[in-house]
Amino acid sequence: MGGFFGTISNSACATDLFYGTDYNSHLGTRRGGMATLHNGVFKRSIHNLENSYFRTRFESELDKFQGNSGIGIISDTDPQPIFFNSHLGKYAVVTVAKVNNLDELEKELLDKGCHFSELSSGQTNQTELISLLISQGKTFLEGIEIVHEKVKGSCSMLILTEDGIIAARDKWGRTPILIGKKEGAYAATSEPCSFPNLGYEVEYNVGPGEIVHLTADKMTQLRKPNEKMQVCSFLWVYYGYPVSEYEGVNVDASRYASGVSMAKKDEVEADFVSGIPDSGIGMALGYAEGKGIPYRRAIVKYTPTWPRSFTPANQAVRDLVAKMKLIPNRELLRGKRVIFCDDSIVRGTQLRDNVNILYGYGAKEVHMRIGCPPILHACPFVGFSASKSHLELIARRIVKEIEGDDAKDLDKYSTTGTEQYNNLVERIREQLNITTLKFNTVEDLIQSIGLPKECVCTHCYDGSSCF
């Protein structure tokens, strides 16, 4: 996915920019970048993060980032920020985007006489393409409107200009932008967990399609938000940080409510509940409360060095990370019936390995409770995982095994309680060697988030879309 942070201040911004960007590190592992503006001169650095961490890559360079305004990015796509000099002036851009029609837009721009200089893995850098689209406008506002009109997928961005920072949220609000304020400074970020330790208070939640302009002392609305929103439900299921709030809804509170709700409907008997770190912990605590049984740490994440496992592009690396980062506690598992809460089942390979390890450490029964419904559709809007095909999804592969066609009766397979849905869940349970398996329903997930269904994107579960 990716996350960004930008700040503009009456004093030097490098420290806030450095740490604020770092607080987005759980959203991606591919590239990190920062850019600042000082006396009309831009400074930029971009580093590969696939084998390192943001702070270790950029700490030695902090002295070069002079100036009072800057933007940073943790990117799971292309190298960023991108610099531009156009009729709009000099500016730098970072994006959290998924451009599904990149080839089409690339051809359109080439036919207009534009050229591309930034390549990543032999392909056009999508942030450069977005910058070229912005430059088609007579103003930044008009250019951003062109991006929102032409990009199929999603695009949120920060633009560092000579007159301040522009924050523009995706037209459907699929990814968040929050504005923070402290004395003499404003900041904009994908992750509000970046604010507290830097002294910022959340000032504003940028709406879908809304565009705001920041200076050190003022926030100005350039475009009103759209009435409709489709914020990604996976913010609360998985990639949102526990202390963060989006649309006024706290991530950990939502996960806790989800666990309580599921436990009250669950008749399984067990000795205790455990969360699969990190995103399964909040749900497990809620489940323990709702079920009235203890919460124990039967599996622990080794936090000093291992990242989240959904982000590496290579499947073998994902599998290695998933295996190495979690350490079971043999003493707690031996002879016990355990309910494990986890955020989701995407491909199933990681969970299958983890379940076998749990049995190997003496668990008598392994019951899995999943915080979201079965994932039947690859995400065309945000790209919360590295899945490039529907058939990388275990649920979709099973539909193909049953029907001979992976697209047949998906509406029935996504509806809780149907014969097709029950068959799907049972097949997943069998393949993963789980004692019992239950998924959260779309209805209960929406209830735990607390926003109207029409405001939350659940496409990956039920194929619904605002288009």
Side-chain angles (χ1 to χ4, degrees), residues 345-346 373-379 389-391 393-399 406-415 421 424 428 458-463:
I345 300 177
V346 182
I375 297 175
L376 285 160
H377 304 268
C379 178
S389 164
H390 293 304
L391 289 177
L393 306 171
I394 186 172
R396 201 61 173 264
R397 293 198 305 271
I398 289 175
V399 171
D406 71 284
K408 185 178 179 181
D409 290 338
L410 290 182
D411 57 332
K412 296 177 181 177
Y413 281 99
S414 64
T415 303
Y421 175 90
L424 172 66
I428 296 174
T458 57
H459 175 88
C460 53
Y461 322 125
D462 56 19

PDB file of all heavy atoms in Angstrom, residues 345-346 373-379 389-391 393-399 406-415 421 424 428 458-463:
ATOM      1  N   ILE A 345      -7.384 -14.484   5.991  1.00  0.00           N
ATOM      2  CA  ILE A 345      -6.708 -15.565   5.273  1.00  0.00           C
ATOM      3  C   ILE A 345      -6.689 -15.162   3.806  1.00  0.00           C
ATOM      4  O   ILE A 345      -7.747 -15.047   3.179  1.00  0.00           O
ATOM      5  CB  ILE A 345      -7.432 -16.919   5.436  1.00  0.00           C
ATOM      6  CG1 ILE A 345      -7.510 -17.323   6.917  1.00  0.00           C
ATOM      7  CG2 ILE A 345      -6.710 -18.002   4.644  1.00  0.00           C
ATOM      8  CD1 ILE A 345      -8.268 -18.612   7.159  1.00  0.00           C
ATOM      9  N   VAL A 346      -5.500 -14.929   3.276  1.00  0.00           N
ATOM     10  CA  VAL A 346      -5.385 -14.490   1.882  1.00  0.00           C
ATOM     11  C   VAL A 346      -5.004 -15.678   1.002  1.00  0.00           C
ATOM     12  O   VAL A 346      -5.844 -16.238   0.302  1.00  0.00           O
ATOM     13  CB  VAL A 346      -4.369 -13.339   1.743  1.00  0.00           C
ATOM     14  CG1 VAL A 346      -4.299 -12.859   0.294  1.00  0.00           C
ATOM     15  CG2 VAL A 346      -4.768 -12.181   2.657  1.00  0.00           C
ATOM     16  N   PRO A 373     -14.412 -11.497   6.376  1.00  0.00           N
ATOM     17  CA  PRO A 373     -14.957 -12.614   5.603  1.00  0.00           C
ATOM     18  C   PRO A 373     -13.910 -13.211   4.670  1.00  0.00           C
ATOM     19  O   PRO A 373     -12.816 -12.651   4.497  1.00  0.00           O
ATOM     20  CB  PRO A 373     -16.095 -11.943   4.789  1.00  0.00           C
ATOM     21  CG  PRO A 373     -16.407 -10.682   5.513  1.00  0.00           C
ATOM     22  CD  PRO A 373     -15.104 -10.232   6.086  1.00  0.00           C
ATOM     23  N   PRO A 374     -14.205 -14.376   4.063  1.00  0.00           N
ATOM     24  CA  PRO A 374     -13.292 -14.934   3.056  1.00  0.00           C
ATOM     25  C   PRO A 374     -13.032 -13.929   1.943  1.00  0.00           C
ATOM     26  O   PRO A 374     -13.953 -13.241   1.475  1.00  0.00           O
ATOM     27  CB  PRO A 374     -14.065 -16.154   2.530  1.00  0.00           C
ATOM     28  CG  PRO A 374     -15.004 -16.520   3.627  1.00  0.00           C
ATOM     29  CD  PRO A 374     -15.386 -15.233   4.282  1.00  0.00           C
ATOM     30  N   ILE A 375     -11.772 -13.842   1.520  1.00  0.00           N
ATOM     31  CA  ILE A 375     -11.396 -12.887   0.465  1.00  0.00           C
ATOM     32  C   ILE A 375     -11.516 -13.584  -0.882  1.00  0.00           C
ATOM     33  O   ILE A 375     -10.752 -14.505  -1.195  1.00  0.00           O
ATOM     34  CB  ILE A 375      -9.971 -12.361   0.700  1.00  0.00           C
ATOM     35  CG1 ILE A 375      -9.932 -11.589   2.021  1.00  0.00           C
ATOM     36  CG2 ILE A 375      -9.519 -11.473  -0.446  1.00  0.00           C
ATOM     37  CD1 ILE A 375      -8.554 -11.130   2.428  1.00  0.00           C
ATOM     38  N   LEU A 376     -12.474 -13.132  -1.683  1.00  0.00           N
ATOM     39  CA  LEU A 376     -12.787 -13.760  -2.964  1.00  0.00           C
ATOM     40  C   LEU A 376     -12.351 -12.922  -4.161  1.00  0.00           C
ATOM     41  O   LEU A 376     -12.404 -13.397  -5.295  1.00  0.00           O
ATOM     42  CB  LEU A 376     -14.291 -14.027  -3.055  1.00  0.00           C
ATOM     43  CG  LEU A 376     -14.798 -15.216  -2.223  1.00  0.00           C
ATOM     44  CD1 LEU A 376     -16.294 -15.099  -1.977  1.00  0.00           C
ATOM     45  CD2 LEU A 376     -14.469 -16.532  -2.919  1.00  0.00           C
ATOM     46  N   HIS A 377     -11.924 -11.684  -3.920  1.00  0.00           N
ATOM     47  CA  HIS A 377     -11.576 -10.784  -5.022  1.00  0.00           C
ATOM     48  C   HIS A 377     -10.261 -10.071  -4.712  1.00  0.00           C
ATOM     49  O   HIS A 377     -10.088  -9.539  -3.612  1.00  0.00           O
ATOM     50  CB  HIS A 377     -12.675  -9.737  -5.239  1.00  0.00           C
ATOM     51  CG  HIS A 377     -14.031 -10.318  -5.490  1.00  0.00           C
ATOM     52  ND1 HIS A 377     -14.508 -10.576  -6.753  1.00  0.00           N
ATOM     53  CD2 HIS A 377     -15.004 -10.709  -4.630  1.00  0.00           C
ATOM     54  CE1 HIS A 377     -15.724 -11.091  -6.664  1.00  0.00           C
ATOM     55  NE2 HIS A 377     -16.054 -11.175  -5.384  1.00  0.00           N
ATOM     56  N   ALA A 378      -9.335 -10.069  -5.657  1.00  0.00           N
ATOM     57  CA  ALA A 378      -8.128  -9.252  -5.520  1.00  0.00           C
ATOM     58  C   ALA A 378      -8.535  -7.787  -5.549  1.00  0.00           C
ATOM     59  O   ALA A 378      -9.455  -7.391  -6.272  1.00  0.00           O
ATOM     60  CB  ALA A 378      -7.155  -9.561  -6.653  1.00  0.00           C
ATOM     61  N   CYS A 379      -7.869  -6.972  -4.754  1.00  0.00           N
ATOM     62  CA  CYS A 379      -8.261  -5.565  -4.624  1.00  0.00           C
ATOM     63  C   CYS A 379      -7.810  -4.750  -5.843  1.00  0.00           C
ATOM     64  O   CYS A 379      -6.612  -4.677  -6.126  1.00  0.00           O
ATOM     65  CB  CYS A 379      -7.661  -4.960  -3.369  1.00  0.00           C
ATOM     66  SG  CYS A 379      -8.059  -3.214  -3.178  1.00  0.00           S
ATOM     67  N   SER A 389      -3.321 -12.072  -8.950  1.00  0.00           N
ATOM     68  CA  SER A 389      -4.328 -12.880  -9.626  1.00  0.00           C
ATOM     69  C   SER A 389      -5.340 -13.368  -8.611  1.00  0.00           C
ATOM     70  O   SER A 389      -5.006 -13.629  -7.445  1.00  0.00           O
ATOM     71  CB  SER A 389      -3.665 -14.079 -10.312  1.00  0.00           C
ATOM     72  OG  SER A 389      -4.617 -15.059 -10.664  1.00  0.00           O
ATOM     73  N   HIS A 390      -6.605 -13.496  -9.044  1.00  0.00           N
ATOM     74  CA  HIS A 390      -7.638 -14.043  -8.169  1.00  0.00           C
ATOM     75  C   HIS A 390      -7.256 -15.425  -7.654  1.00  0.00           C
ATOM     76  O   HIS A 390      -7.580 -15.787  -6.514  1.00  0.00           O
ATOM     77  CB  HIS A 390      -8.964 -14.139  -8.928  1.00  0.00           C
ATOM     78  CG  HIS A 390      -9.561 -12.817  -9.283  1.00  0.00           C
ATOM     79  ND1 HIS A 390      -9.845 -11.855  -8.336  1.00  0.00           N
ATOM     80  CD2 HIS A 390      -9.950 -12.292 -10.484  1.00  0.00           C
ATOM     81  CE1 HIS A 390     -10.379 -10.798  -8.928  1.00  0.00           C
ATOM     82  NE2 HIS A 390     -10.442 -11.032 -10.219  1.00  0.00           N
ATOM     83  N   LEU A 391      -6.557 -16.187  -8.487  1.00  0.00           N
ATOM     84  CA  LEU A 391      -6.255 -17.570  -8.120  1.00  0.00           C
ATOM     85  C   LEU A 391      -5.123 -17.683  -7.104  1.00  0.00           C
ATOM     86  O   LEU A 391      -4.798 -18.787  -6.666  1.00  0.00           O
ATOM     87  CB  LEU A 391      -5.940 -18.397  -9.373  1.00  0.00           C
ATOM     88  CG  LEU A 391      -7.164 -18.674 -10.263  1.00  0.00           C
ATOM     89  CD1 LEU A 391      -6.765 -19.431 -11.517  1.00  0.00           C
ATOM     90  CD2 LEU A 391      -8.233 -19.445  -9.494  1.00  0.00           C
ATOM     91  N   LEU A 393      -5.647 -16.344  -4.317  1.00  0.00           N
ATOM     92  CA  LEU A 393      -6.486 -16.353  -3.126  1.00  0.00           C
ATOM     93  C   LEU A 393      -6.992 -17.764  -2.867  1.00  0.00           C
ATOM     94  O   LEU A 393      -7.578 -18.388  -3.748  1.00  0.00           O
ATOM     95  CB  LEU A 393      -7.666 -15.397  -3.307  1.00  0.00           C
ATOM     96  CG  LEU A 393      -7.319 -13.953  -3.693  1.00  0.00           C
ATOM     97  CD1 LEU A 393      -8.580 -13.184  -4.045  1.00  0.00           C
ATOM     98  CD2 LEU A 393      -6.559 -13.269  -2.563  1.00  0.00           C
ATOM     99  N   ILE A 394      -6.820 -18.270  -1.645  1.00  0.00           N
ATOM    100  CA  ILE A 394      -7.227 -19.641  -1.352  1.00  0.00           C
ATOM    101  C   ILE A 394      -8.724 -19.833  -1.560  1.00  0.00           C
ATOM    102  O   ILE A 394      -9.160 -20.879  -2.064  1.00  0.00           O
ATOM    103  CB  ILE A 394      -6.819 -20.059   0.075  1.00  0.00           C
ATOM    104  CG1 ILE A 394      -7.112 -21.537   0.299  1.00  0.00           C
ATOM    105  CG2 ILE A 394      -7.455 -19.174   1.135  1.00  0.00           C
ATOM    106  CD1 ILE A 394      -6.565 -22.082   1.619  1.00  0.00           C
ATOM    107  N   ALA A 395      -9.530 -18.837  -1.214  1.00  0.00           N
ATOM    108  CA  ALA A 395     -10.975 -18.968  -1.383  1.00  0.00           C
ATOM    109  C   ALA A 395     -11.349 -19.114  -2.850  1.00  0.00           C
ATOM    110  O   ALA A 395     -12.215 -19.915  -3.224  1.00  0.00           O
ATOM    111  CB  ALA A 395     -11.687 -17.761  -0.768  1.00  0.00           C
ATOM    112  N   ARG A 396     -10.668 -18.366  -3.697  1.00  0.00           N
ATOM    113  CA  ARG A 396     -10.979 -18.412  -5.128  1.00  0.00           C
ATOM    114  C   ARG A 396     -10.520 -19.726  -5.753  1.00  0.00           C
ATOM    115  O   ARG A 396     -11.176 -20.284  -6.624  1.00  0.00           O
ATOM    116  CB  ARG A 396     -10.318 -17.223  -5.828  1.00  0.00           C
ATOM    117  CG  ARG A 396     -10.907 -16.842  -7.161  1.00  0.00           C
ATOM    118  CD  ARG A 396     -12.387 -16.428  -7.085  1.00  0.00           C
ATOM    119  NE  ARG A 396     -12.806 -15.932  -8.373  1.00  0.00           N
ATOM    120  CZ  ARG A 396     -12.838 -14.643  -8.704  1.00  0.00           C
ATOM    121  NH1 ARG A 396     -12.492 -13.721  -7.807  1.00  0.00           N
ATOM    122  NH2 ARG A 396     -13.225 -14.267  -9.901  1.00  0.00           N
ATOM    123  N   ARG A 397      -9.376 -20.247  -5.281  1.00  0.00           N
ATOM    124  CA  ARG A 397      -8.907 -21.540  -5.787  1.00  0.00           C
ATOM    125  C   ARG A 397      -9.895 -22.654  -5.433  1.00  0.00           C
ATOM    126  O   ARG A 397     -10.135 -23.567  -6.230  1.00  0.00           O
ATOM    127  CB  ARG A 397      -7.526 -21.859  -5.218  1.00  0.00           C
ATOM    128  CG  ARG A 397      -6.414 -20.940  -5.701  1.00  0.00           C
ATOM    129  CD  ARG A 397      -5.042 -21.556  -5.464  1.00  0.00           C
ATOM    130  NE  ARG A 397      -4.806 -21.934  -4.085  1.00  0.00           N
ATOM    131  CZ  ARG A 397      -4.283 -21.131  -3.168  1.00  0.00           C
ATOM    132  NH1 ARG A 397      -3.969 -19.877  -3.483  1.00  0.00           N
ATOM    133  NH2 ARG A 397      -4.072 -21.564  -1.936  1.00  0.00           N
ATOM    134  N   ILE A 398     -10.452 -22.566  -4.245  1.00  0.00           N
ATOM    135  CA  ILE A 398     -11.403 -23.595  -3.819  1.00  0.00           C
ATOM    136  C   ILE A 398     -12.692 -23.515  -4.627  1.00  0.00           C
ATOM    137  O   ILE A 398     -13.274 -24.547  -4.980  1.00  0.00           O
ATOM    138  CB  ILE A 398     -11.667 -23.473  -2.302  1.00  0.00           C
ATOM    139  CG1 ILE A 398     -10.421 -23.932  -1.542  1.00  0.00           C
ATOM    140  CG2 ILE A 398     -12.882 -24.304  -1.886  1.00  0.00           C
ATOM    141  CD1 ILE A 398     -10.498 -23.748  -0.046  1.00  0.00           C
ATOM    142  N   VAL A 399     -13.141 -22.300  -4.939  1.00  0.00           N
ATOM    143  CA  VAL A 399     -14.312 -22.164  -5.814  1.00  0.00           C
ATOM    144  C   VAL A 399     -14.050 -22.855  -7.147  1.00  0.00           C
ATOM    145  O   VAL A 399     -14.916 -23.573  -7.678  1.00  0.00           O
ATOM    146  CB  VAL A 399     -14.664 -20.677  -6.039  1.00  0.00           C
ATOM    147  CG1 VAL A 399     -15.745 -20.533  -7.123  1.00  0.00           C
ATOM    148  CG2 VAL A 399     -15.132 -20.032  -4.752  1.00  0.00           C
ATOM    149  N   ASP A 406     -13.618 -20.485 -11.504  1.00  0.00           N
ATOM    150  CA  ASP A 406     -13.376 -19.707 -10.282  1.00  0.00           C
ATOM    151  C   ASP A 406     -14.293 -18.507 -10.141  1.00  0.00           C
ATOM    152  O   ASP A 406     -14.324 -17.870  -9.079  1.00  0.00           O
ATOM    153  CB  ASP A 406     -11.910 -19.239 -10.242  1.00  0.00           C
ATOM    154  CG  ASP A 406     -11.618 -18.170 -11.271  1.00  0.00           C
ATOM    155  OD1 ASP A 406     -11.500 -18.513 -12.468  1.00  0.00           O
ATOM    156  OD2 ASP A 406     -11.499 -17.004 -10.888  1.00  0.00           O
ATOM    157  N   ALA A 407     -15.074 -18.175 -11.175  1.00  0.00           N
ATOM    158  CA  ALA A 407     -15.959 -17.015 -11.115  1.00  0.00           C
ATOM    159  C   ALA A 407     -17.430 -17.391 -10.968  1.00  0.00           C
ATOM    160  O   ALA A 407     -18.296 -16.517 -10.967  1.00  0.00           O
ATOM    161  CB  ALA A 407     -15.770 -16.143 -12.358  1.00  0.00           C
ATOM    162  N   LYS A 408     -17.741 -18.675 -10.825  1.00  0.00           N
ATOM    163  CA  LYS A 408     -19.129 -19.110 -10.789  1.00  0.00           C
ATOM    164  C   LYS A 408     -19.743 -18.926  -9.398  1.00  0.00           C
ATOM    165  O   LYS A 408     -19.146 -19.281  -8.388  1.00  0.00           O
ATOM    166  CB  LYS A 408     -19.245 -20.583 -11.187  1.00  0.00           C
ATOM    167  CG  LYS A 408     -20.678 -21.079 -11.290  1.00  0.00           C
ATOM    168  CD  LYS A 408     -20.739 -22.530 -11.743  1.00  0.00           C
ATOM    169  CE  LYS A 408     -22.187 -23.005 -11.821  1.00  0.00           C
ATOM    170  NZ  LYS A 408     -22.276 -24.422 -12.238  1.00  0.00           N
ATOM    171  N   ASP A 409     -20.946 -18.346  -9.364  1.00  0.00           N
ATOM    172  CA  ASP A 409     -21.743 -18.210  -8.140  1.00  0.00           C
ATOM    173  C   ASP A 409     -20.996 -17.515  -7.012  1.00  0.00           C
ATOM    174  O   ASP A 409     -21.174 -17.849  -5.832  1.00  0.00           O
ATOM    175  CB  ASP A 409     -22.213 -19.586  -7.654  1.00  0.00           C
ATOM    176  CG  ASP A 409     -23.258 -20.212  -8.569  1.00  0.00           C
ATOM    177  OD1 ASP A 409     -23.916 -19.459  -9.314  1.00  0.00           O
ATOM    178  OD2 ASP A 409     -23.410 -21.439  -8.531  1.00  0.00           O
ATOM    179  N   LEU A 410     -20.187 -16.518  -7.331  1.00  0.00           N
ATOM    180  CA  LEU A 410     -19.424 -15.852  -6.277  1.00  0.00           C
ATOM    181  C   LEU A 410     -20.324 -15.130  -5.289  1.00  0.00           C
ATOM    182  O   LEU A 410     -19.978 -14.978  -4.109  1.00  0.00           O
ATOM    183  CB  LEU A 410     -18.419 -14.869  -6.893  1.00  0.00           C
ATOM    184  CG  LEU A 410     -17.246 -15.500  -7.653  1.00  0.00           C
ATOM    185  CD1 LEU A 410     -16.315 -14.420  -8.169  1.00  0.00           C
ATOM    186  CD2 LEU A 410     -16.483 -16.479  -6.765  1.00  0.00           C
ATOM    187  N   ASP A 411     -21.494 -14.687  -5.752  1.00  0.00           N
ATOM    188  CA  ASP A 411     -22.423 -14.032  -4.839  1.00  0.00           C
ATOM    189  C   ASP A 411     -22.904 -15.003  -3.759  1.00  0.00           C
ATOM    190  O   ASP A 411     -23.081 -14.630  -2.597  1.00  0.00           O
ATOM    191  CB  ASP A 411     -23.610 -13.447  -5.601  1.00  0.00           C
ATOM    192  CG  ASP A 411     -24.360 -14.491  -6.420  1.00  0.00           C
ATOM    193  OD1 ASP A 411     -23.733 -15.488  -6.831  1.00  0.00           O
ATOM    194  OD2 ASP A 411     -25.572 -14.302  -6.649  1.00  0.00           O
ATOM    195  N   LYS A 412     -23.074 -16.266  -4.128  1.00  0.00           N
ATOM    196  CA  LYS A 412     -23.504 -17.270  -3.152  1.00  0.00           C
ATOM    197  C   LYS A 412     -22.361 -17.660  -2.222  1.00  0.00           C
ATOM    198  O   LYS A 412     -22.566 -17.886  -1.021  1.00  0.00           O
ATOM    199  CB  LYS A 412     -24.045 -18.499  -3.868  1.00  0.00           C
ATOM    200  CG  LYS A 412     -25.308 -18.221  -4.689  1.00  0.00           C
ATOM    201  CD  LYS A 412     -25.777 -19.456  -5.441  1.00  0.00           C
ATOM    202  CE  LYS A 412     -27.023 -19.143  -6.269  1.00  0.00           C
ATOM    203  NZ  LYS A 412     -27.456 -20.314  -7.073  1.00  0.00           N
ATOM    204  N   TYR A 413     -21.147 -17.734  -2.770  1.00  0.00           N
ATOM    205  CA  TYR A 413     -19.992 -18.075  -1.932  1.00  0.00           C
ATOM    206  C   TYR A 413     -19.643 -16.956  -0.951  1.00  0.00           C
ATOM    207  O   TYR A 413     -19.003 -17.206   0.071  1.00  0.00           O
ATOM    208  CB  TYR A 413     -18.782 -18.399  -2.804  1.00  0.00           C
ATOM    209  CG  TYR A 413     -18.820 -19.790  -3.386  1.00  0.00           C
ATOM    210  CD1 TYR A 413     -19.246 -20.017  -4.696  1.00  0.00           C
ATOM    211  CD2 TYR A 413     -18.443 -20.893  -2.623  1.00  0.00           C
ATOM    212  CE1 TYR A 413     -19.299 -21.302  -5.228  1.00  0.00           C
ATOM    213  CE2 TYR A 413     -18.487 -22.179  -3.138  1.00  0.00           C
ATOM    214  CZ  TYR A 413     -18.920 -22.372  -4.439  1.00  0.00           C
ATOM    215  OH  TYR A 413     -18.968 -23.652  -4.956  1.00  0.00           O
ATOM    216  N   SER A 414     -20.057 -15.747  -1.251  1.00  0.00           N
ATOM    217  CA  SER A 414     -19.751 -14.623  -0.359  1.00  0.00           C
ATOM    218  C   SER A 414     -20.876 -14.317   0.620  1.00  0.00           C
ATOM    219  O   SER A 414     -20.745 -13.411   1.445  1.00  0.00           O
ATOM    220  CB  SER A 414     -19.455 -13.363  -1.190  1.00  0.00           C
ATOM    221  OG  SER A 414     -20.605 -12.963  -1.930  1.00  0.00           O
ATOM    222  N   THR A 415     -21.965 -15.069   0.558  1.00  0.00           N
ATOM    223  CA  THR A 415     -23.108 -14.833   1.442  1.00  0.00           C
ATOM    224  C   THR A 415     -23.086 -15.833   2.598  1.00  0.00           C
ATOM    225  O   THR A 415     -23.230 -17.047   2.390  1.00  0.00           O
ATOM    226  CB  THR A 415     -24.439 -14.961   0.680  1.00  0.00           C
ATOM    227  OG1 THR A 415     -24.442 -14.036  -0.422  1.00  0.00           O
ATOM    228  CG2 THR A 415     -25.620 -14.664   1.591  1.00  0.00           C
ATOM    229  N   TYR A 421     -21.293 -21.112   0.714  1.00  0.00           N
ATOM    230  CA  TYR A 421     -20.406 -20.484   1.703  1.00  0.00           C
ATOM    231  C   TYR A 421     -19.916 -21.526   2.709  1.00  0.00           C
ATOM    232  O   TYR A 421     -18.716 -21.605   3.020  1.00  0.00           O
ATOM    233  CB  TYR A 421     -21.150 -19.358   2.424  1.00  0.00           C
ATOM    234  CG  TYR A 421     -20.369 -18.724   3.555  1.00  0.00           C
ATOM    235  CD1 TYR A 421     -19.531 -17.631   3.319  1.00  0.00           C
ATOM    236  CD2 TYR A 421     -20.454 -19.223   4.860  1.00  0.00           C
ATOM    237  CE1 TYR A 421     -18.805 -17.048   4.356  1.00  0.00           C
ATOM    238  CE2 TYR A 421     -19.736 -18.646   5.899  1.00  0.00           C
ATOM    239  CZ  TYR A 421     -18.915 -17.562   5.642  1.00  0.00           C
ATOM    240  OH  TYR A 421     -18.194 -16.993   6.662  1.00  0.00           O
ATOM    241  N   LEU A 424     -17.351 -23.729   1.198  1.00  0.00           N
ATOM    242  CA  LEU A 424     -16.081 -23.007   1.047  1.00  0.00           C
ATOM    243  C   LEU A 424     -15.304 -22.995   2.356  1.00  0.00           C
ATOM    244  O   LEU A 424     -14.102 -23.319   2.390  1.00  0.00           O
ATOM    245  CB  LEU A 424     -16.361 -21.576   0.586  1.00  0.00           C
ATOM    246  CG  LEU A 424     -15.172 -20.609   0.559  1.00  0.00           C
ATOM    247  CD1 LEU A 424     -14.144 -21.034  -0.478  1.00  0.00           C
ATOM    248  CD2 LEU A 424     -15.638 -19.179   0.309  1.00  0.00           C
ATOM    249  N   ILE A 428     -11.637 -24.803   3.200  1.00  0.00           N
ATOM    250  CA  ILE A 428     -10.488 -24.068   3.715  1.00  0.00           C
ATOM    251  C   ILE A 428     -10.010 -24.700   5.021  1.00  0.00           C
ATOM    252  O   ILE A 428      -8.809 -24.890   5.245  1.00  0.00           O
ATOM    253  CB  ILE A 428     -10.827 -22.573   3.932  1.00  0.00           C
ATOM    254  CG1 ILE A 428     -11.163 -21.894   2.598  1.00  0.00           C
ATOM    255  CG2 ILE A 428      -9.666 -21.842   4.612  1.00  0.00           C
ATOM    256  CD1 ILE A 428     -11.645 -20.463   2.745  1.00  0.00           C
ATOM    257  N   THR A 458     -16.063  -3.026   0.659  1.00  0.00           N
ATOM    258  CA  THR A 458     -15.960  -4.444   1.016  1.00  0.00           C
ATOM    259  C   THR A 458     -15.793  -5.292  -0.249  1.00  0.00           C
ATOM    260  O   THR A 458     -16.155  -6.467  -0.269  1.00  0.00           O
ATOM    261  CB  THR A 458     -17.205  -4.894   1.794  1.00  0.00           C
ATOM    262  OG1 THR A 458     -18.383  -4.646   1.010  1.00  0.00           O
ATOM    263  CG2 THR A 458     -17.318  -4.145   3.116  1.00  0.00           C
ATOM    264  N   HIS A 459     -15.238  -4.696  -1.281  1.00  0.00           N
ATOM    265  CA  HIS A 459     -15.128  -5.355  -2.581  1.00  0.00           C
ATOM    266  C   HIS A 459     -14.407  -6.698  -2.494  1.00  0.00           C
ATOM    267  O   HIS A 459     -14.796  -7.664  -3.145  1.00  0.00           O
ATOM    268  CB  HIS A 459     -14.394  -4.443  -3.566  1.00  0.00           C
ATOM    269  CG  HIS A 459     -14.137  -5.089  -4.896  1.00  0.00           C
ATOM    270  ND1 HIS A 459     -15.044  -5.046  -5.931  1.00  0.00           N
ATOM    271  CD2 HIS A 459     -13.079  -5.792  -5.367  1.00  0.00           C
ATOM    272  CE1 HIS A 459     -14.564  -5.702  -6.972  1.00  0.00           C
ATOM    273  NE2 HIS A 459     -13.364  -6.169  -6.652  1.00  0.00           N
ATOM    274  N   CYS A 460     -13.347  -6.779  -1.696  1.00  0.00           N
ATOM    275  CA  CYS A 460     -12.550  -8.010  -1.689  1.00  0.00           C
ATOM    276  C   CYS A 460     -13.315  -9.185  -1.094  1.00  0.00           C
ATOM    277  O   CYS A 460     -12.969 -10.337  -1.350  1.00  0.00           O
ATOM    278  CB  CYS A 460     -11.234  -7.798  -0.948  1.00  0.00           C
ATOM    279  SG  CYS A 460     -11.410  -7.114   0.701  1.00  0.00           S
ATOM    280  N   TYR A 461     -14.374  -8.934  -0.341  1.00  0.00           N
ATOM    281  CA  TYR A 461     -15.200 -10.004   0.221  1.00  0.00           C
ATOM    282  C   TYR A 461     -16.391 -10.338  -0.658  1.00  0.00           C
ATOM    283  O   TYR A 461     -16.725 -11.501  -0.875  1.00  0.00           O
ATOM    284  CB  TYR A 461     -15.718  -9.631   1.605  1.00  0.00           C
ATOM    285  CG  TYR A 461     -14.742  -8.884   2.460  1.00  0.00           C
ATOM    286  CD1 TYR A 461     -15.063  -7.654   3.011  1.00  0.00           C
ATOM    287  CD2 TYR A 461     -13.475  -9.413   2.742  1.00  0.00           C
ATOM    288  CE1 TYR A 461     -14.172  -6.949   3.808  1.00  0.00           C
ATOM    289  CE2 TYR A 461     -12.582  -8.722   3.534  1.00  0.00           C
ATOM    290  CZ  TYR A 461     -12.931  -7.483   4.066  1.00  0.00           C
ATOM    291  OH  TYR A 461     -12.039  -6.800   4.838  1.00  0.00           O
ATOM    292  N   ASP A 462     -17.090  -9.287  -1.147  1.00  0.00           N
ATOM    293  CA  ASP A 462     -18.365  -9.514  -1.826  1.00  0.00           C
ATOM    294  C   ASP A 462     -18.434  -8.973  -3.249  1.00  0.00           C
ATOM    295  O   ASP A 462     -19.473  -9.084  -3.905  1.00  0.00           O
ATOM    296  CB  ASP A 462     -19.517  -8.926  -1.006  1.00  0.00           C
ATOM    297  CG  ASP A 462     -19.335  -7.420  -0.710  1.00  0.00           C
ATOM    298  OD1 ASP A 462     -18.543  -6.768  -1.405  1.00  0.00           O
ATOM    299  OD2 ASP A 462     -20.000  -6.931   0.226  1.00  0.00           O
ATOM    300  N   GLY A 463     -17.336  -8.396  -3.744  1.00  0.00           N
ATOM    301  CA  GLY A 463     -17.319  -7.893  -5.121  1.00  0.00           C
ATOM    302  C   GLY A 463     -18.081  -6.602  -5.317  1.00  0.00           C
ATOM    303  O   GLY A 463     -18.217  -6.134  -6.459  1.00  0.00           O
TER     304      GLY A 463
END
